[in-house]
Amino acid sequence: MEQLFIGELIRQRRLELGLKQCELCEGICEPVTMSRLESGKQTPGSNKLRMLMQRLGLPEERYYALVSKNELRISELQTEIVSSNVLHDSFRGLEKIEELEAIAEPNDNQVRQFILRSRAILGKLVDGKVEPYLPEEKLEMLSEAIRLTSPYFDIDHIGKGLYCVDEVKVINQIAGVYSEQGNNEQALQIYVQLIDYIKQHFQNVKQSGGLLPLVSYNYARELTVLGRYEEAIQISKLAWEACVQYGQYRYLASTINIISECYHLLGNVEQCKDYFKQAYYVYKAIGDEHSANDMASEAHEYFGSDFQL
């Protein structure tokens, strides 16, 4: 696809949304660069193109830009860092972050943002051992991360901003830190705003498929902590539907487990057993034996030794 068409597409969608060039490109590139991209005078790099298309709510997988070897290696390292987090291998993840920092351009705000939010998750090396950051440190890092690309970010008015997928993930992490601090109401306010934003802005963006399951799961978990069990069940079912719709099964078992736990706390034993079994077998199906074994132990605690999974 010709780059001029990409520029025309961006311009057309931007005008449809009533956005100025400076509003769309804030934190991604300079307005003069945005102008050159729209006119076809400059080729967008893969990261910039991805973020612009996501902010516009367009499916960026249908378009492309020339990718340099450096950009390709950056993408590979980001994938390895995310994988390290999933596998709870923080030491390896931090090693990859060091490699990423060494090849990233100093003014590449997108990569810097990724590094900050990854460090907030993985922790830091102290005397050769990985230690987690304090909640206050995480909040400072994540606030810096979101303002690299959204300098006027307002946590109380999230819907007034314009975000790509990675920016939504940073905001979700900020909510998680508030929860960690015990500020559950603030966390809930963020999750509510994020769900509304995701529904309104990401219908056509394939890469956003994991956002609704992620945020809905966190929202339901927060409601459970506050004792709002019936609301937690309702939001968990929304997360369940999103997991199936987008093929995002990482959160499915945990989401069903929240429903089971809520019915247990509401005293509805039969419903609890039903969802408990479903969560257990999803854990088994995805190969999470650790969580499946934990649920097997909980089953005896909740229902007695006669209960059969």
Side-chain angles (χ1 to χ4, degrees):
M1 182 173 292
E2 295 180 4
Q3 66 191 61
L4 178 59
F5 180 72
I6 292 174
E8 288 180 341
L9 178 72
I10 290 173
R11 180 177 183 277
Q12 180 180 351
R13 178 61 173 167
R14 175 178 63 77
L15 294 175
E16 287 175 359
L17 296 176
L19 297 171
K20 297 178 182 178
Q21 287 182 336
C22 59
E23 293 174 323
L24 173 59
C25 71
E26 185 176 69
I28 298 177
C29 62
E30 296 297 323
V32 65
T33 303
M34 187 73 247
S35 179
R36 291 178 64 82
L37 295 180
E38 289 191 356
S39 65
K41 295 177 180 178
Q42 185 169 333
T43 303
S46 60
N47 273 343
K48 287 183 173 59
L49 177 63
R50 174 178 57 82
M51 293 188 74
L52 289 170
M53 299 294 271
Q54 288 179 0
R55 283 188 176 183
L56 291 169
L58 293 173
E60 80 274 11
E61 71 275 5
R62 293 173 58 188
Y63 313 99
Y64 71 88
L66 298 175
V67 179
S68 67
K69 289 183 178 180
N70 197 53
E71 286 181 317
L72 184 60
R73 182 54 185 155
I74 285 173
S75 178
E76 290 171 346
L77 284 169
Q78 288 176 321
T79 299
E80 291 181 60
I81 291 165
V82 172
S83 175
S84 296
N85 174 44
V86 173
L87 297 173
H88 306 289
D89 191 351
S90 296
F91 192 85
R92 178 174 175 271
L94 291 173
E95 284 186 333
K96 296 300 177 181
I97 286 177
E98 294 292 334
E99 186 177 344
L100 179 57
E101 287 181 320
I103 65 173
E105 296 292 334
N107 61 347
D108 191 332
N109 287 343
Q110 294 78 42
V111 174
R112 289 175 59 202
Q113 181 180 84
F114 176 85
I115 289 171
L116 279 169
R117 71 181 183 89
S118 297
R119 286 194 180 280
I121 294 172
L122 294 170
K124 56 187 175 182
L125 282 175
V126 179
D127 297 328
K129 296 181 180 180
V130 178
E131 293 186 3
Y133 285 100
L134 296 173
E136 294 77 13
E137 293 176 306
K138 291 181 189 177
L139 200 55
E140 183 177 348
M141 294 167 70
L142 294 170
S143 296
E144 179 184 350
I146 190 62
R147 288 190 168 87
L148 282 171
T149 54
S150 295
Y152 304 108
F153 172 72
D154 184 348
I155 202 166
D156 295 318
H157 300 93
I158 292 172
K160 293 183 177 180
L162 193 64
Y163 313 105
C164 67
V165 171
D166 287 343
E167 289 169 314
V168 172
K169 290 179 179 178
V170 175
I171 300 169
N172 176 72
Q173 283 181 250
I174 291 173
V177 176
Y178 278 118
S179 176
E180 189 178 346
Q181 291 177 321
N183 193 344
N184 305 99
E185 290 296 339
Q186 179 68 63
L188 280 181
Q189 290 178 23
I190 296 173
Y191 292 136
V192 170
Q193 292 181 80
L194 281 182
I195 287 175
D196 287 342
Y197 186 89
I198 292 165
K199 287 181 175 180
Q200 292 179 26
H201 291 269
F202 284 119
Q203 300 96 326
N204 300 317
V205 182
K206 181 179 179 181
Q207 284 75 8
S208 71
L211 292 181
L212 191 55
L214 169 64
V215 177
S216 299
Y217 165 74
N218 287 334
Y219 182 18
R221 185 180 59 183
E222 209 64 39
L223 288 167
T224 304
V225 170
L226 292 173
R228 294 160 60 176
Y229 305 128
E230 292 182 355
E231 292 176 74
I233 292 171
Q234 182 180 359
I235 297 299
S236 293
K237 289 181 178 179
L238 170 65
W240 188 340
E241 292 173 3
C243 286
V244 174
Q245 179 181 354
Y246 295 106
Q248 296 287 336
Y249 299 109
R250 177 181 173 188
Y251 303 102
L252 180 56
S254 299
T255 295
I256 300 173
N257 196 16
I258 287 178
I259 298 175
S260 172
E261 181 181 350
C262 287
Y263 277 123
H264 172 72
L265 293 166
L266 287 169
N268 191 329
V269 177
E270 292 307 312
Q271 288 277 56
C272 175
K273 287 181 178 179
D274 180 39
Y275 286 103
F276 196 95
K277 287 182 178 180
Q278 292 186 63
Y280 172 79
Y281 283 111
V282 173
Y283 278 130
K284 295 285 286 186
I286 63 176
D288 189 345
E289 292 295 333
H290 178 76
S291 297
N293 291 336
D294 283 347
M295 290 203 72
S297 298
E298 287 178 9
H300 291 166
E301 179 184 341
Y302 284 1
F303 313 117
S305 56
D306 294 335
F307 178 71
Q308 298 294 318
L309 284 168

PDB file of all heavy atoms in Angstrom, residues 123-139:
ATOM      1  N   GLY A 123      10.141  -4.977  38.624  1.00  0.00           N
ATOM      2  CA  GLY A 123      10.921  -4.647  39.812  1.00  0.00           C
ATOM      3  C   GLY A 123      12.323  -4.163  39.462  1.00  0.00           C
ATOM      4  O   GLY A 123      12.600  -3.767  38.330  1.00  0.00           O
ATOM      5  N   LYS A 124      13.223  -4.233  40.436  1.00  0.00           N
ATOM      6  CA  LYS A 124      14.580  -3.716  40.263  1.00  0.00           C
ATOM      7  C   LYS A 124      15.589  -4.688  40.864  1.00  0.00           C
ATOM      8  O   LYS A 124      15.261  -5.488  41.755  1.00  0.00           O
ATOM      9  CB  LYS A 124      14.710  -2.352  40.949  1.00  0.00           C
ATOM     10  CG  LYS A 124      14.340  -2.380  42.436  1.00  0.00           C
ATOM     11  CD  LYS A 124      14.312  -0.989  43.038  1.00  0.00           C
ATOM     12  CE  LYS A 124      13.811  -1.038  44.485  1.00  0.00           C
ATOM     13  NZ  LYS A 124      13.737   0.313  45.091  1.00  0.00           N
ATOM     14  N   LEU A 125      16.822  -4.603  40.382  1.00  0.00           N
ATOM     15  CA  LEU A 125      17.896  -5.451  40.901  1.00  0.00           C
ATOM     16  C   LEU A 125      18.569  -4.760  42.082  1.00  0.00           C
ATOM     17  O   LEU A 125      19.015  -3.620  41.995  1.00  0.00           O
ATOM     18  CB  LEU A 125      18.937  -5.719  39.812  1.00  0.00           C
ATOM     19  CG  LEU A 125      18.568  -6.774  38.752  1.00  0.00           C
ATOM     20  CD1 LEU A 125      19.647  -6.840  37.687  1.00  0.00           C
ATOM     21  CD2 LEU A 125      18.369  -8.137  39.398  1.00  0.00           C
ATOM     22  N   VAL A 126      18.633  -5.471  43.192  1.00  0.00           N
ATOM     23  CA  VAL A 126      19.311  -4.973  44.393  1.00  0.00           C
ATOM     24  C   VAL A 126      20.229  -6.096  44.886  1.00  0.00           C
ATOM     25  O   VAL A 126      19.761  -7.156  45.301  1.00  0.00           O
ATOM     26  CB  VAL A 126      18.311  -4.579  45.499  1.00  0.00           C
ATOM     27  CG1 VAL A 126      19.064  -4.104  46.739  1.00  0.00           C
ATOM     28  CG2 VAL A 126      17.363  -3.500  44.998  1.00  0.00           C
ATOM     29  N   ASP A 127      21.544  -5.860  44.827  1.00  0.00           N
ATOM     30  CA  ASP A 127      22.535  -6.867  45.237  1.00  0.00           C
ATOM     31  C   ASP A 127      22.318  -8.205  44.523  1.00  0.00           C
ATOM     32  O   ASP A 127      22.380  -9.286  45.137  1.00  0.00           O
ATOM     33  CB  ASP A 127      22.495  -7.080  46.762  1.00  0.00           C
ATOM     34  CG  ASP A 127      22.866  -5.820  47.525  1.00  0.00           C
ATOM     35  OD1 ASP A 127      23.688  -5.031  47.003  1.00  0.00           O
ATOM     36  OD2 ASP A 127      22.328  -5.614  48.620  1.00  0.00           O
ATOM     37  N   GLY A 128      22.023  -8.118  43.242  1.00  0.00           N
ATOM     38  CA  GLY A 128      21.868  -9.330  42.437  1.00  0.00           C
ATOM     39  C   GLY A 128      20.526 -10.013  42.572  1.00  0.00           C
ATOM     40  O   GLY A 128      20.303 -11.066  41.970  1.00  0.00           O
ATOM     41  N   LYS A 129      19.609  -9.433  43.349  1.00  0.00           N
ATOM     42  CA  LYS A 129      18.283 -10.019  43.526  1.00  0.00           C
ATOM     43  C   LYS A 129      17.219  -9.031  43.049  1.00  0.00           C
ATOM     44  O   LYS A 129      17.397  -7.826  43.116  1.00  0.00           O
ATOM     45  CB  LYS A 129      18.042 -10.372  45.000  1.00  0.00           C
ATOM     46  CG  LYS A 129      18.980 -11.449  45.543  1.00  0.00           C
ATOM     47  CD  LYS A 129      18.651 -11.762  46.990  1.00  0.00           C
ATOM     48  CE  LYS A 129      19.582 -12.845  47.553  1.00  0.00           C
ATOM     49  NZ  LYS A 129      19.265 -13.157  48.970  1.00  0.00           N
ATOM     50  N   VAL A 130      16.100  -9.582  42.577  1.00  0.00           N
ATOM     51  CA  VAL A 130      15.006  -8.739  42.102  1.00  0.00           C
ATOM     52  C   VAL A 130      14.084  -8.390  43.268  1.00  0.00           C
ATOM     53  O   VAL A 130      13.631  -9.270  43.999  1.00  0.00           O
ATOM     54  CB  VAL A 130      14.194  -9.452  41.000  1.00  0.00           C
ATOM     55  CG1 VAL A 130      13.026  -8.569  40.554  1.00  0.00           C
ATOM     56  CG2 VAL A 130      15.086  -9.780  39.816  1.00  0.00           C
ATOM     57  N   GLU A 131      13.846  -7.098  43.445  1.00  0.00           N
ATOM     58  CA  GLU A 131      12.934  -6.623  44.487  1.00  0.00           C
ATOM     59  C   GLU A 131      11.852  -5.760  43.855  1.00  0.00           C
ATOM     60  O   GLU A 131      12.125  -5.029  42.898  1.00  0.00           O
ATOM     61  CB  GLU A 131      13.691  -5.814  45.542  1.00  0.00           C
ATOM     62  CG  GLU A 131      14.665  -6.624  46.373  1.00  0.00           C
ATOM     63  CD  GLU A 131      15.279  -5.811  47.501  1.00  0.00           C
ATOM     64  OE1 GLU A 131      14.898  -4.627  47.652  1.00  0.00           O
ATOM     65  OE2 GLU A 131      16.130  -6.358  48.224  1.00  0.00           O
ATOM     66  N   PRO A 132      10.633  -5.817  44.369  1.00  0.00           N
ATOM     67  CA  PRO A 132       9.565  -4.983  43.799  1.00  0.00           C
ATOM     68  C   PRO A 132       9.742  -3.520  44.206  1.00  0.00           C
ATOM     69  O   PRO A 132      10.324  -3.212  45.259  1.00  0.00           O
ATOM     70  CB  PRO A 132       8.300  -5.566  44.431  1.00  0.00           C
ATOM     71  CG  PRO A 132       8.758  -6.165  45.724  1.00  0.00           C
ATOM     72  CD  PRO A 132      10.144  -6.679  45.463  1.00  0.00           C
ATOM     73  N   TYR A 133       9.235  -2.632  43.367  1.00  0.00           N
ATOM     74  CA  TYR A 133       9.196  -1.220  43.732  1.00  0.00           C
ATOM     75  C   TYR A 133       8.094  -0.987  44.756  1.00  0.00           C
ATOM     76  O   TYR A 133       7.092  -1.723  44.806  1.00  0.00           O
ATOM     77  CB  TYR A 133       8.915  -0.356  42.505  1.00  0.00           C
ATOM     78  CG  TYR A 133      10.091  -0.210  41.565  1.00  0.00           C
ATOM     79  CD1 TYR A 133      10.179  -0.981  40.412  1.00  0.00           C
ATOM     80  CD2 TYR A 133      11.103   0.707  41.817  1.00  0.00           C
ATOM     81  CE1 TYR A 133      11.252  -0.847  39.536  1.00  0.00           C
ATOM     82  CE2 TYR A 133      12.177   0.856  40.953  1.00  0.00           C
ATOM     83  CZ  TYR A 133      12.242   0.070  39.822  1.00  0.00           C
ATOM     84  OH  TYR A 133      13.310   0.211  38.966  1.00  0.00           O
ATOM     85  N   LEU A 134       8.255   0.018  45.591  1.00  0.00           N
ATOM     86  CA  LEU A 134       7.186   0.425  46.493  1.00  0.00           C
ATOM     87  C   LEU A 134       6.041   1.004  45.680  1.00  0.00           C
ATOM     88  O   LEU A 134       6.257   1.529  44.573  1.00  0.00           O
ATOM     89  CB  LEU A 134       7.702   1.465  47.482  1.00  0.00           C
ATOM     90  CG  LEU A 134       8.794   1.014  48.462  1.00  0.00           C
ATOM     91  CD1 LEU A 134       9.316   2.215  49.253  1.00  0.00           C
ATOM     92  CD2 LEU A 134       8.263  -0.047  49.402  1.00  0.00           C
ATOM     93  N   PRO A 135       4.803   0.927  46.178  1.00  0.00           N
ATOM     94  CA  PRO A 135       3.673   1.486  45.429  1.00  0.00           C
ATOM     95  C   PRO A 135       3.879   2.943  45.029  1.00  0.00           C
ATOM     96  O   PRO A 135       3.524   3.344  43.918  1.00  0.00           O
ATOM     97  CB  PRO A 135       2.504   1.342  46.413  1.00  0.00           C
ATOM     98  CG  PRO A 135       2.871   0.166  47.256  1.00  0.00           C
ATOM     99  CD  PRO A 135       4.360   0.251  47.418  1.00  0.00           C
ATOM    100  N   GLU A 136       4.468   3.734  45.930  1.00  0.00           N
ATOM    101  CA  GLU A 136       4.702   5.145  45.622  1.00  0.00           C
ATOM    102  C   GLU A 136       5.678   5.293  44.456  1.00  0.00           C
ATOM    103  O   GLU A 136       5.520   6.180  43.609  1.00  0.00           O
ATOM    104  CB  GLU A 136       5.244   5.870  46.857  1.00  0.00           C
ATOM    105  CG  GLU A 136       4.272   5.958  48.020  1.00  0.00           C
ATOM    106  CD  GLU A 136       4.143   4.649  48.799  1.00  0.00           C
ATOM    107  OE1 GLU A 136       4.995   3.741  48.600  1.00  0.00           O
ATOM    108  OE2 GLU A 136       3.177   4.528  49.580  1.00  0.00           O
ATOM    109  N   GLU A 137       6.676   4.418  44.403  1.00  0.00           N
ATOM    110  CA  GLU A 137       7.640   4.449  43.305  1.00  0.00           C
ATOM    111  C   GLU A 137       6.976   4.051  41.993  1.00  0.00           C
ATOM    112  O   GLU A 137       7.217   4.656  40.936  1.00  0.00           O
ATOM    113  CB  GLU A 137       8.815   3.512  43.611  1.00  0.00           C
ATOM    114  CG  GLU A 137       9.687   3.946  44.775  1.00  0.00           C
ATOM    115  CD  GLU A 137      10.767   2.930  45.095  1.00  0.00           C
ATOM    116  OE1 GLU A 137      10.424   1.746  45.309  1.00  0.00           O
ATOM    117  OE2 GLU A 137      11.949   3.320  45.122  1.00  0.00           O
ATOM    118  N   LYS A 138       6.140   3.009  42.057  1.00  0.00           N
ATOM    119  CA  LYS A 138       5.427   2.578  40.858  1.00  0.00           C
ATOM    120  C   LYS A 138       4.546   3.697  40.314  1.00  0.00           C
ATOM    121  O   LYS A 138       4.499   3.942  39.103  1.00  0.00           O
ATOM    122  CB  LYS A 138       4.554   1.361  41.174  1.00  0.00           C
ATOM    123  CG  LYS A 138       5.292   0.082  41.483  1.00  0.00           C
ATOM    124  CD  LYS A 138       4.287  -1.026  41.737  1.00  0.00           C
ATOM    125  CE  LYS A 138       4.933  -2.289  42.254  1.00  0.00           C
ATOM    126  NZ  LYS A 138       3.920  -3.332  42.563  1.00  0.00           N
ATOM    127  N   LEU A 139       3.819   4.357  41.219  1.00  0.00           N
ATOM    128  CA  LEU A 139       2.909   5.418  40.793  1.00  0.00           C
ATOM    129  C   LEU A 139       3.667   6.553  40.123  1.00  0.00           C
ATOM    130  O   LEU A 139       3.223   7.097  39.102  1.00  0.00           O
ATOM    131  CB  LEU A 139       2.131   5.941  42.001  1.00  0.00           C
ATOM    132  CG  LEU A 139       0.833   6.699  41.718  1.00  0.00           C
ATOM    133  CD1 LEU A 139      -0.112   5.873  40.874  1.00  0.00           C
ATOM    134  CD2 LEU A 139       0.174   7.105  43.022  1.00  0.00           C
TER     135      LEU A 139
END
